[in-house]
Each structure stands twice: as structure tokens, then as C-alpha cells.
Amino acid sequence: MTDIAAGQRADVQAPSTVTEASALLAAGVADRLRVEIRGGGSKPGWGAELDPVDLRLRTVALNQLLAHRPGDMTASVQAGMPLADLQLLLAEHGQWLALDPPSEPFGATVGGLLATGEAGPRRLRYGTMRDLAIGATVVLADGTIASSGSHVIKNVAGYDLTKLFHGSLGSLGLIAEVIVRLHPLPPASAVVHARASAAQASMATRDIAGCGAEPTAVEWVRRAGAPADGVLAVRFDGSAASTVAAAGRVATLLQAANLTPQVTTGADAALHWRRQTAPAGPAGLVLRAGARPDRMPGIVAALDRLTDASEVTASVMSSTALGLHTITLAGPVAAQAAVAFALRGAVEQAGGALTVRRPAGFAAGDLDPNGPPPSSTPLLALVKAQLDPDGRCAPGRFRGWF
Amino acid sequence: MPADSSAPAPLSPAFQVELEALLGRDGVISEPTELRTYECDGLTGYRVTPALVVLPRSTDEVAAVVAACARERIPFVARGAGTGLSGGALPVADGIVIGLARMRGILDLDAANQRMTVQPGVTNAEISRIAAPSGLYYAPDPSSQIVCTIGGNVAENSGGAHCLKYGFTTNHVLGLTLVTPDGSVVRLGGDYADPLGPDLLGVVVGSEGTLGIVTEVTVRLLAKPESIRTLVADFDSAEAAAGAVSGLVSAGVIPAAVEMLDALAIQACEKATGAGFSLDAAAALIVELDGFDASCAEDFDLARQLCLDNGATRIRVPADAGERALIWQGRKSAFAAMGRISPDYFVQDGVIPRTRLADVLGSIEDLANAAGLRVANVFHAGDGNLHPLVLYDARIEGQAERAEELATAIVELCVDAGGSISGEHGVGADKACSMMKMFSPDDLAVMRRVRQAFDPLDLCNPGKVFPTPRLCGELPGPYRAHPLEAAGVIGRG
């Protein structure tokens, strides 16, 4: 099979077993074939654009649930299985892989979530693949198959190769199988939401953290073109009684902060949550900023100064308790790039970092998607050289770093 | 790979002078009697006297010492409090030990953002003590927490009784400053979540001091739970207790901790602490739930019911915080308490899938009977992390050897059950040979490639984690208690 993309010819292969994947990668050693590894393709703009490749490896046929052990609350899954498919299978046993990434409806796969580290709002309670993947089988560029971890949630034997591949964006090799820790599907949810400015949301988030209730997510959402205030949304998952009680406590707390909270419980809660926190639709650049949580009002203020002075509009979704912000821009391309560049400066000044995800075909000029290399760059380069000495996997993904 | 093949020259007097110039004379220990203090960690059967011990006070001093070692090809081993149970801080002959005990500074407490940055020699318990006025605490709680250091916790990815709900060290470390084996200083993770790129922080945590020396640690702090509910349930058999654990897990209850003691462990703990465990019970579970009042109360009622459904013969709920503390003191001093019922013992640290608890405990009993030895079990049942204690008497000829064989057979049983050779004590020097039981040659080769990236000269804690013919030919001596453990000050589970 071949396909022609960006004027370039490359083999497309979709192995259905680890052994097949190993043979495909090993066959390219002599010619140093460069390889793109892709899961569901739901996050094409993450990392820098790849250099031309010779082989496009797809995990679409690595899509089987290998073992589900409900009693142990673990499952091993081939990397190309879409998260949405896995959740359906697990739900039959009242369990789920506790991830709610925005890309789930767009085909995000289990392996892709490990390779990117993407997670959704409820990571506040459950963590990301970094916390939920307890083992993985990977295939290096030379065809070597290596496994780490197992079906136990506690394990310190050997190096944690699973974590090494977390966030690797295909640059170290193929993730072929993942063992994940599961959680019981919560029987009920409750949501509290209130209009709040960035500063109010930040203060309220801190109050919520100390109030004794254990939210699964705390998000602040401000849509482009919406009033200056955004919406703070707090979610609880658990038994009906405890989520109602927790939501009530947080509502009281928000009232005391002069906000006007509304509580949604019962069957409407999950639907309401999805509506409140739906990701911004396809637009231009997507900026992902991270900093200490209390830097959030300053970052939003910097964004507002930049957008006020340009034709760019921005929607913001913040995981306020974690200090993570997804900012989706719209407007003239060059102006978007200028806002992104300037906001990166403001975020870095606040001790954080900002990465840029661009949609296909978006020419953002010299804007560096990855940002300045961290002090660990030489180590990353050495690890890359050990695992992929010919630089075959995802060439250019970490351009400017390694 | 081991020190044999890279054969470092014995330390020259000039090298010692250089280190003294870097650290001051009081920062370098060379007296043979003082060096003996550092010859082992909590795995006291393995002993090697180092050529020198240095006691730096800052990242810069550590970096300067490591750079000098790299230049002279001298191996070095980092050491915290020396409470590790796998020989991870076992010195290398002709190498130096870099003791981090003087690096005890609190560098930053950011209560608003629930994080603290400390030097590696700060103890685990000290972090929670400093955070307490802000209503915060550090969640991982190894049984040695009042003595063990956060640097050692990072090296071993330490767990503890309350890791079932909250996760392990690796889930609570936000950032590190690492001196790499060439003496460079690198920051991993830190001020913001989700740094781009492969997760080196996640590899360094739990790498047992083989990838560099951690000189600053930024940890996540949690708000103290508003409610804590504890019960002790007695059972007629270990199988019934294991059934209750499975019941809890499948009911979706995630307690903060689920600990199990069998009859021998109960006897030992009662003799040592009088914590109130029932001497006639075959097994006891300590179940602790914490968190939001309403959900904690609900889950507590459910947990109590599940214990009864699985045949609990008695359920005790501590009347106050003092009684609860006594129960935990009993549990956490369980290893030290073994001295009350046996002159010697080996402690094992294996993990099994939680559904295999009952049958693996049965198999351990069969193995023990076949070996003519007693095994006490006290462990983190909620996450399947077993700590079988193989009891023996070193004065009886051949018993130490039989006990050690039994301990190895037990951990291999764990691997066969789909588990792991270590849940929290680490591989270190102790279990390097068992790595081959758990990992394929290719798995190990890839791990070695990662090690090569960090430490191409194999100077940083060489001879640990990876199996080598030299190590695997050696047999450890019998277990001897750490002095603090013997005194009942610290535990080891």
C-alpha cells in the first residue's frame, strides 16, 4: 500500500501484531527508513511537523482488547484500540479507563493517549496515562520488543519504560500494547457551575481544594465572544448522596464568595457537564499553557491584552486546580501567530511553558511549536540516540530540541 | 558492566585532597572506623566498606564531586538515611559514598499551589510536619517515614500503606534537580504540568540511584482529608480475609489503605505493641477510608458490611485518634516485632494481582511447610503487595540457607502469578538476579540502553538493578535488623 501526501510517497503499513510491527521496523534498518507512527490521528498538530518519512505505520489494526481482568481492575489493550471502543467493553463490567480527553470522540486511541499524555478535566482525580498505564510493550526502530510493568498496580522492578514513552510523540518507537489500571464507573455525578472571572475562579479553586469535598474536575471556560466572565464548573463523581452533599458544600462556598452557583444533579449532570466543557470547535492555533495554578489570572490578563489589541479572538479552557490552559485562537493567521508568540513570553515569565498545536496546512511562520529547549534536552538527545540511533522515528518532531 | 571490568584505580591521596578542598575537611570521611558506618543499608547481609564518604551541602557541591569522580572514573553511590531494604545504597569498594544527610533544607513551601521543594536529606515525615500548618500533607507514607529521606523515596519510588488511594512517590513528585553522572545539573519537571517530550522524570523516580543524584525534590502536597474512618476485622482464615479484599475492590470502594496480618504477624505485633489485635484470629484486616465526610461514611458502612459478608468474626472500630494511632503503630512496627517470635527472618517484597491473594497465600504456606519453616505475612493487601517474613534461626545449621531459598521461591511464585519481584523495596543488589525471572533479555537490554544514555561510564551506583554474573554468584548473609528497627523506632513495610 502507498499513499501520496505532501507530494511525497511513503509506504503505509498497518501491522496487527507486535511481531509484525517488529518485522516492519527491523526491515527498514539497512536503509534507515524514516517512520511516522500514527494512532487515531486525532492530534496531528502536536509537536513540530515531521520531516519527510518513508514509512507510515498505523496502529489501526492493533485494535484488540487482549485481556480484561475485572477483579484486578486492569486490562491489557493493543495500542490502536480507540478509547471510545474500550470504554464500551469495560462498561459491561461497570468499569472504565478513567480518562476523558477532548479527542475521545475523534478516534483517540489508548496508545496515542500514552504517546501524547493527553487527558481531560477529570485528570484532577484520576491522573493521566502517566498514572493509569501500569505497563507497556514497545517496539524500537531496530525491531527490538521490550515490555515493562504488568497487571499489578504497584511495581518497582526495573526502569519504568512505560513512563519514558509518555509524551514521546512517536519519537522513541512504537507503543504496541498498554496495560491500564481501571476504575469503577461512578454511579452518579453532580455539577456546580457559576459565572466567574479568571481571578474569582482562581480564588474559588483554592477554596474548593481546602473545603474537604473531593471534586473530580474543576474547570474554567470562557468562550470567544462571550461576556468577559467565564464559567467555573466543578464536577463530583460517586454515590448519589455523596455527590449531592459535596455539590451543596461547594455551592455554599461559592455563594460566600459572592458568586451565583447552580447545582445540577441526577441524570442531567453528566450531560450538563459535557455542554459546559465541550472543547472549542475547529479554529486556528491551539495553545497549551502550563504554570503554577495561581498564575492563571495573570496569564488570562496577558491573553486579553493581546487579543484586545488585535483581530484575534480566543476561547479559554482552564483546569484551574492543575494550572493547565487550552487557548483556541481564531482570526487572521499572522495575528494569531503574533498572539501565540507574545503569550508564550508572558507564560514563561510566569514560570510556565506554552506549546502550540497547529491545524493541518496552517502556516504560522517562524512560530516554534515546542518552545525553548529545557535543561534536560541533552539527556533527551542521549536517550533518543540510544533507542533510535539513526533518528528514524518521527524525524523532526522535537525540532530544536533533539 | 560491573566495577570489575572498568577496574577503577584505588583512590589517590590527591583525590581525597581535591574533595576536601571542595567540601571542607569535615565534609570528607576517611577514618576506617567511621567508614564502617556506611558499609550497608537496611539490607544488612550485604556489606562493602567504601574508600571515602563525602557529605556535600548543595547541588553545586554534589555536581563538583560527581564531575571529579567522572574525570577519575571513580564509582559513586548516593545514600540517604540508609533504611533501604534492597541494598540500593550498598557501597562499591574503591568507590565513594555521597551521603546526602546534610542536605536538609526546605527550599520553598508554596501552600497556594500545594507544593514544596526540599533538599534530598529531608525526611518523609518532616515534609508533612512542615506542611501541616497550611492544612496540607505529603501522601506517600513508607513505614520508615520518620527516618527515611525524600531523596531515598525518589530513588526507590517508595510506597506505603496509604498508596492504594493516593499513589506512590512517582505520582507525587512534580520536579527534580538531578546531577547527571557527568556532573551536569538538569531540571526535570517542575513548575508546570505536562512538560513536552518523553517523561524522564518518570524514569528517574524509581531508578534506584543509577541514573544520577537527585539534589532537589518538588513534591505535591494534598489537603488533609476531613474524615478518617478505620476498622480492624478479624477472620477465621487468610482466605476469608483475602475474599473481603476482593469484595472491596470489586464493589468499587477505594480505601486509603487495606492492610492484612496473619496469625503469626498478629502474635508478634501484640507482643511488641499491645495494639489490641485479637490473638485468636487467623487473619486481620485494617481498613481505612478517608476523604469527604459523606462519601467516607457511606464507604465505611459498605466496607464493614463486606467484611461481615466475607465471614469477619469481629469488627473493631477505634474509639478515638489515640486508639487509631496505636493500631497503625502496631502495623508499622510489625517487622521489628518479629524478633518477639523468631531470632532471625528474611523479609520479602513481592506483588501479585489482587484476585490471586487467597491462592498465593495458600501456596506460600505449602512452600513453608515443605521447607519446615514458618512464614508470617503482613502486607498491603489492597494493592497485592506481599511482605512474607521467612522466620528462621541462624544458630541452626542450614536454616539460613533454607530460609533464603524459600524467600526466593516466594518471590518467583509472585512473578508466576503475573506479579512483580518488588512492590516498594526495590531491586538493588538484593534482587538483581531475579530480574531475569521477570524480564526478557531484550527488556533488560532496552533498560540498559536507557542507563547508557545517562551513565555511559557505569559509575553511578554500579552493580545494582541489573543482573551480573559477579553479583548473581554471591549469597547474602542472614538478615540483621537496622539498629533503629531493632529499637522499634522504625518499621519496614
Side-chain angles (χ1 to χ4, degrees), chain A residues 20-33 55 141-143 392:
Chain A
E20 266 178 51
S22 165
L24 281 165
L25 282 162
V29 169
D31 296 328
R32 299 187 178 185
L33 296 186
L55 173 63
D142 63 8
R392 292 173 52 208

Side-chain angles (χ1 to χ4, degrees), chain B residues 334-339 342-348 374 388-394 403 478-482 485 492:
Chain B
F335 291 15
M338 289 302 146
S342 173
D344 304 284
Y345 65 91
F346 283 116
V347 58
Q348 192 47 283
R374 294 181 303 166
L389 297 145
V390 179
L391 311 182
Y392 68 98
D393 186 341
Y479 173 76
R480 276 179 273 173
H482 188 285
E485 188 201 337
R492 26 177 74 210

Side-chain angles (χ1 to χ4, degrees), chain A residues 46-47 69-74 95 117-119 123-124 128 130-132 138 140 142-161 163-169 171-172 181-184 206 209-214 238-243 245-247 249 288-295 321-324 350-353 355 357 369-371 374-380 382-389 397-398 401-402, chain B residues 108 110-115 117 156-161 163-168 170-173 178 180 185-188 191-203 205-208 210-211 220 223-226 246 249-254 290-295 298 349 351-356 380 382-385 387 417-427 435 438-440 442-443 445-454 465-466:
Chain A
W46 290 43
R69 302 187 183 178
D72 291 319
M73 298 209 130
T74 61
Q95 298 181 359
E118 191 203 16
R123 62 184 284 169
L124 178 63
T128 69
R130 188 181 192 275
D131 310 285
L132 298 171
V138 300
L140 303 187
D142 63 8
T144 303
I145 299 168
S147 298
S148 68
S150 70
H151 278 272
V152 293
I153 57 175
K154 188 175 188 183
N155 182 4
V156 297
Y159 294 160
D160 196 336
L161 298 178
K163 286 199 176 56
L164 180 63
F165 275 68
H166 182 263
S168 61
L169 297 177
S171 66
L172 298 180
R181 176 183 188 171
L182 306 174
H183 283 79
R206 197 178 159 184
C211 85
E214 297 174 304
S239 72
S242 72
T243 53
R249 182 179 294 182
R288 180 73 165 169
R292 292 195 193 198
D294 69 353
R295 307 296 197 260
L322 297 161
L324 284 166
T355 54
R357 299 161 189 166
N370 297 337
S375 67
S376 57
T377 306
L379 267 185
L380 285 167
L382 289 164
V383 171
K384 166 82 172 171
Q386 280 290 333
L387 300 191
D388 179 20
R397 185 66 85 209
F398 290 95
W401 289 28
F402 60 87
Chain B
D108 179 41
D110 180 353
N113 291 303
Q114 297 190 203
R115 63 194 65 203
T117 301
E156 302 296 320
N157 187 17
S158 301
C163 287
L164 179 57
K165 176 173 175 183
Y166 293 104
F168 315 101
T170 191
N171 308 107
H172 294 271
V173 171
L178 179 76
T180 60
V185 178
V186 166
R187 184 79 190 158
L188 301 176
D191 259 4
Y192 48 92
D194 288 1
L196 190 69
D199 184 6
L200 296 185
L201 174 64
V203 177
V205 177
S207 62
E208 307 195 20
T210 60
L211 299 180
R220 180 160 67 112
K224 279 188 217 162
E226 67 175 346
S246 295
V249 172
S250 40
V253 179
I254 302 179
D290 72 11
F292 179 56
D293 275 344
S295 58
E298 262 180 24
D349 169 43
V351 194
I352 54 169
R354 290 172 283 194
T355 45
R356 302 293 303 275
H380 312 301
D383 44 31
N385 185 189
H387 289 316
S420 170
I421 58 171
S422 180
E424 56 185 8
H425 295 172
V427 175
M435 288 286 278
M438 191 168 162
F439 294 104
S440 76
D442 278 355
D443 299 340
V446 172
M447 290 182 198
R448 280 204 181 89
R449 283 157 80 169
V450 172
R451 176 164 163 74
Q452 281 282 305
F454 282 78
V465 181
F466 294 100

Side-chain angles (χ1 to χ4, degrees), chain A residues 283-344:
Chain A
L285 293 177
V286 177
L287 316 180
R288 180 73 165 169
R292 292 195 193 198
D294 69 353
R295 307 296 197 260
M296 178 253 203
I299 289 170
V300 173
L303 174 68
D304 290 346
R305 278 195 300 277
L306 291 165
T307 52
D308 286 350
S310 80
E311 294 170 67
V312 174
T313 59
S315 63
V316 183
M317 295 192 56
S318 290
S319 295
T320 51
L322 297 161
L324 284 166
H325 318 285
T326 303
I327 298 151
T328 306
L329 303 182
V333 170
Q336 283 187 46
V339 167
F341 186 82
L343 188 65
R344 172 176 282 157

Side-chain angles (χ1 to χ4, degrees), chain A residues 99-319:
Chain A
L99 286 171
D100 56 348
S103 62
E104 180 172 349
F106 307 104
T109 62
V110 172
L113 291 166
L114 178 58
T116 58
E118 191 203 16
R122 285 193 274 175
R123 62 184 284 169
L124 178 63
R125 162 76 74 83
Y126 301 107
T128 69
M129 267 297 201
R130 188 181 192 275
D131 310 285
L132 298 171
I134 54 176
T137 297
V138 300
V139 186
L140 303 187
D142 63 8
T144 303
I145 299 168
S147 298
S148 68
S150 70
H151 278 272
V152 293
I153 57 175
K154 188 175 188 183
N155 182 4
V156 297
Y159 294 160
D160 196 336
L161 298 178
T162 310
K163 286 199 176 56
L164 180 63
F165 275 68
H166 182 263
S168 61
L169 297 177
S171 66
L172 298 180
L174 169 75
I175 297 166
E177 294 172 9
V178 186
I179 306 176
V180 288
R181 176 183 188 171
L182 306 174
H183 283 79
L185 272 171
S189 305
V191 175
V192 186
H193 76 274
R195 271 275 187 76
S197 68
Q200 287 169 323
S202 184
M203 286 301 296
T205 299
R206 197 178 159 184
D207 292 345
I208 292 165
C211 85
E214 297 174 304
T216 38
V218 182
E219 295 280 300
W220 182 73
V221 183
R222 197 185 67 187
R223 310 278 176 198
D229 281 1
V231 172
L232 179 71
V234 185
R235 176 171 180 149
F236 295 92
D237 293 294
S239 72
S242 72
T243 53
V244 168
R249 182 179 294 182
V250 165
T252 307
L253 193 145
L254 295 181
Q255 251 158 5
N258 291 320
L259 300 175
T260 312
Q262 284 179 271
V263 176
T264 313
T265 57
D268 293 340
L271 187 70
H272 183 67
W273 174 260
R274 272 201 296 279
R275 209 176 293 139
Q276 289 288 349
T277 62
L285 293 177
V286 177
L287 316 180
R288 180 73 165 169
R292 292 195 193 198
D294 69 353
R295 307 296 197 260
M296 178 253 203
I299 289 170
V300 173
L303 174 68
D304 290 346
R305 278 195 300 277
L306 291 165
T307 52
D308 286 350
S310 80
E311 294 170 67
V312 174
T313 59
S315 63
V316 183
M317 295 192 56
S318 290
S319 295

Side-chain angles (χ1 to χ4, degrees), chain B residues 366-374 391 399 402 406:
Chain B
D366 294 344
L367 286 171
N369 289 337
L373 293 168
R374 294 181 303 166
L391 311 182
Q399 228 182 55
R402 281 217 312 286
L406 176 56

